[in-house]
Amino acid sequence: MSDELRHNLALLCSYHLSIAEVCRKLEINRQQFNKYLAGSSHPSRHNMRRICDFFGVSESELLLDPPQFEEIVALKRKPIQQEALSKPLRHLDRLYQHSHGLEKYLGHYFRYFYSFGNLGQVIRSLALIYKEDGKYYWKNIEVLRDPATGRAMGLNKYEGVLFFLADRIYIMEYESVEVNTITQATLYPSHRSRLDILVGIQTGGPTRRGRKPGASKVALEYLGRDIDARAALKRTGLFNPQNGTIRPEILELIENRMDPGNFVFDVDEP
């Protein structure tokens, strides 16, 4: 088996989640396919045709020098990727077209909510709303510190987008390191001249909690546009609500209680 074939086959497989996934879709035995990748065996005519049809290449292309083949694959994939993205991007673009400006809300915030994975503890994280090319974006950093020692036990980073629709602010964020969870928050806007605290509700399903999704009240405390972010990060972490670290008015805003007679979990406008 030629070196060109095994190198080019390995390149094609790299665009998929795993070799196992490729073998499953091709219906070719994994051990046999590994021999193709190792160069110790050549596909039969039947299997070669299946491989070419699956990856969308010709047999002659599959036998080209690897640098030349890589250029061909890049050209073949580009319009496919653009087409695959066009529909979800159209949905986002439509939301952006209807969204109002969020200039007033640019800057840093402390984000408060009861932890989904640490029972009874309040998370205070550092968030940022910023603007690029006329669109508004969101970043949030959670440093999970031991409440007793202050030692960092973990770090979560989130990124996302914001929309201002029908007098509500929507934040859609995803965990940007492992890309394994999405959170959606809906907040009341502030109609005061001085920005202070935004409140709302958020839903999500952090992985350390298992598969169970959850919802909680959330509060954003405005810190300003020009702050010492390093110093602010040192004030983030997990906190016992009884030790006086979190202000009582913040704790009241994020208390997750459901009044008798209610059938949905909601948040009153402050």
Side-chain angles (χ1 to χ4, degrees):
M1 182 172 172
S2 68
D3 282 345
E4 290 81 4
L5 181 55
R6 69 184 184 88
H7 280 297
N8 294 341
L9 194 56
L11 173 66
L12 292 172
C13 290
S14 70
Y15 289 104
H16 292 261
L17 291 175
S18 65
I19 301 297
E21 180 202 32
V22 171
C23 293
R24 185 169 59 253
K25 291 182 176 179
L26 279 170
E27 297 182 352
I28 293 178
N29 180 273
R30 172 71 181 270
Q31 281 186 318
Q32 185 62 41
F33 195 80
N34 283 340
K35 291 180 181 179
Y36 303 157
L37 291 172
S40 60
S41 179
H42 193 285
S44 65
R45 297 297 303 171
H46 176 67
N47 280 352
M48 180 65 86
R49 175 50 50 205
R50 291 164 67 184
I51 289 169
C52 290
D53 288 346
F54 175 74
F55 288 114
V57 297
S58 68
E59 185 173 345
S60 61
E61 288 173 334
L62 199 52
L63 296 173
L64 290 171
D65 288 337
Q68 187 178 357
F69 181 73
E70 189 170 350
E71 290 181 5
I72 290 174
V73 170
L75 289 173
K76 284 176 177 284
R77 288 183 55 81
K78 190 172 183 180
I80 295 174
Q81 291 171 335
Q82 290 176 342
E83 184 178 349
L85 282 172
S86 64
K87 189 169 183 178
L89 289 179
R90 283 202 303 270
H91 290 303
L92 281 174
D93 188 57
R94 189 176 184 191
L95 288 172
Y96 275 126
Q97 288 175 11
H98 288 78
S99 180
H100 300 288
L102 288 158
E103 202 74 24
K104 172 181 178 179
Y105 301 94
L106 298 178
H108 294 82
Y109 297 79
F110 277 144
R111 177 185 188 174
Y112 299 89
F113 61 96
Y114 274 92
S115 171
F116 285 38
N118 300 274
L119 190 63
Q121 301 293 308
V122 173
I123 288 182
R124 177 161 64 194
S125 62
L126 181 63
L128 170 66
I129 295 175
Y130 64 101
K131 183 180 181 180
E132 281 186 9
D133 300 324
K135 296 179 174 61
Y136 298 90
Y137 299 93
W138 165 268
K139 286 185 178 181
N140 180 53
I141 299 178
E142 291 178 1
V143 182
L144 303 179
R145 306 179 195 276
D146 186 303
T149 65
R151 183 175 59 87
M153 303 180 295
L155 175 69
N156 296 322
K157 294 183 178 181
Y158 296 86
E159 296 190 43
V161 295
L162 289 92
F163 302 101
F164 191 4
L165 303 165
D167 206 32
R168 284 165 293 185
I169 298 172
Y170 294 92
I171 301 171
M172 290 184 285
E173 66 175 5
Y174 69 97
E175 199 284 315
S176 59
V177 177
E178 297 184 3
V179 194
N180 58 9
T181 184
I182 295 173
T183 304
Q184 191 272 320
T186 304
L187 306 169
Y188 288 108
S190 173
H191 298 295
R192 299 174 181 173
S193 57
R194 182 178 177 273
L195 191 58
D196 184 15
I197 296 175
L198 304 176
V199 299
I201 196 167
Q202 61 185 16
T203 60
T207 53
R208 64 171 50 87
R209 173 185 167 89
R211 295 175 60 241
K212 185 187 295 184
S216 73
K217 294 182 180 180
V218 61
L220 300 184
E221 180 185 14
Y222 185 65
L223 303 177
R225 299 193 181 188
D226 186 18
I227 70 166
D228 185 340
R230 187 180 296 273
L233 270 175
K234 290 181 179 179
R235 297 177 58 196
T236 63
L238 282 169
F239 299 93
N240 185 330
Q242 307 301 323
N243 66 10
T245 306
I246 308 297
R247 298 192 341 244
E249 56 267 35
I250 296 287
L251 292 175
E252 184 176 354
L253 290 172
I254 63 173
E255 184 180 353
N256 294 314
R257 60 176 181 271
M258 189 166 173
D259 294 331
N262 283 1
F263 293 91
V264 296
F265 187 53
D266 53 24
V267 179
D268 290 326
E269 187 169 8

